[in-house]
Amino acid sequence: MSVFDDPGLFGRLWAADYDDGDTNPDPAPAVDFLADLADGGPVLELAIGTGRVALPLAERGLAVHGVEASEEMLAHLRAKPGGERIPVVVADMADVPVEGEFRLAYLVFNTLFNLVDAERQADCFRNVARVLSPGGAFVIETFVPDPRTFDSDEQVQVRAVTEESATIRLHKYDRPEQRFIRQTITFDADGVHLKPFAMRYAWPHQIDEMAQRAGLRLTERYADWHRRPFQADSPSHISVYRAE
């Protein structure tokens, strides 16, 4: 199945390494930020993954629920202390297949862009709006696309070289569709190993439009989890949308 059609593919390929290396930013600032907004909960994490954010929030006494497309990611969450106590629905996060009203829902670490179709991104906003309590918050963290980097990103990048293996990474951008596909290729004694990945990126104003169509309004925007001011040259943003 194509990387553009299988919401669980990323987790199946990357779950074993997800908590390591450059895929593992420190979750503490995000946890502090989200805990401040949770208003006692309950809280919903879309693409809960291995629980890097959900488990610390649960440790603060919040009732955390999750949606995750990958059984492999979920297995890593369940193996961690407290992971078995977090209710998780295995499904495409755009469907938000949960019941009840949540004071907070969130999508961190660019995960909104893992929905590689514009309509599915819009579906995600509509479905989150359906399960938020009045005044509840939906928090998004994504990078801000910078077309100046696209040409350089399409070059071959050497990721790792040892005596036993070599890993390279390649990107290919589809600018009209605002999508890219990335292939990470490892060569070792066992052969060639492929780890494809795709994203559909969007600029902050486009994300705001999706939120507005879903009945959510932007109330706060920051450059990072430390609430530094968002500026025109900020490489990422933390945006808070509220249900009416």
Side-chain angles (χ1 to χ4, degrees):
M1 182 176 288
S2 166
V3 69
F4 293 111
D5 302 319
D6 184 355
L9 180 61
F10 173 81
R12 288 198 297 277
L13 293 176
W14 291 95
D17 303 318
Y18 190 66
D19 286 337
D20 302 321
D22 60 4
T23 63
N24 187 19
D26 180 9
V31 172
D32 290 341
F33 184 103
L34 295 168
D36 286 344
L37 287 182
D39 193 26
V43 171
L44 175 65
E45 180 170 2
L46 302 179
I48 195 170
T50 62
R52 289 184 293 160
V53 174
L55 286 169
L57 284 175
E59 289 171 358
R60 298 190 184 199
L62 293 168
V64 182
H65 301 248
V67 178
E68 174 56 50
S70 165
E71 294 276 9
E72 290 80 2
M73 283 284 197
L74 184 55
H76 284 270
L77 167 63
R78 296 295 188 224
K80 295 178 179 179
E84 73 284 352
R85 294 193 294 272
I86 295 179
V88 179
V89 177
V90 179
D92 187 336
M93 66 181 177
D95 295 328
V96 193
V98 295
E99 300 295 333
E101 291 190 337
F102 294 89
R103 292 301 301 164
L104 171 69
Y106 59 92
L107 259 174
V108 297
F109 307 139
N110 305 313
T111 312
L112 173 66
F113 295 167
N114 289 6
L115 297 169
V116 294
D117 179 82
E119 186 57 36
R120 291 302 280 161
Q121 292 179 356
D123 287 343
C124 184
F125 274 89
R126 285 192 292 268
N127 287 318
V128 165
R130 172 179 53 80
V131 301
L132 283 179
S133 61
F138 184 28
V139 178
I140 298 290
E141 177 195 17
T142 75
F143 64 84
V144 178
D146 183 355
R148 295 172 299 178
T149 68
F150 293 177
D151 290 338
S152 62
D153 280 349
E154 289 188 5
Q155 307 303 313
V156 176
Q157 302 171 358
V158 177
R159 303 293 293 179
V161 177
T162 71
E163 293 181 358
E164 290 78 29
S165 69
T167 300
I168 62 173
R169 179 170 289 177
L170 305 93
H171 292 76
K172 181 64 177 177
Y173 284 83
D174 182 342
R175 298 191 189 206
E177 294 296 325
Q178 296 181 199
R179 299 203 299 192
F180 69 80
I181 186 167
R182 184 183 78 198
Q183 185 64 265
T184 302
I185 310 170
T186 298
F187 306 88
D188 61 22
D190 295 323
V192 179
H193 311 276
L194 305 178
K195 285 187 174 180
F197 175 64
M199 277 187 165
R200 193 264 173 183
Y201 53 88
W203 278 266
H205 74 275
Q206 294 176 317
I207 299 173
D208 294 346
E209 290 168 2
M210 284 189 279
Q212 185 175 21
R213 290 196 298 269
L216 303 173
R217 59 186 177 86
L218 177 69
T219 59
E220 302 169 61
R221 172 163 288 147
Y222 305 101
D224 56 32
W225 294 111
H226 300 286
R227 291 185 168 86
R228 295 186 178 96
F230 179 79
Q231 299 176 337
D233 60 350
S234 296
S236 62
H237 65 104
I238 313 297
S239 297
V240 181
Y241 301 94
R242 293 277 183 180
E244 300 294 345

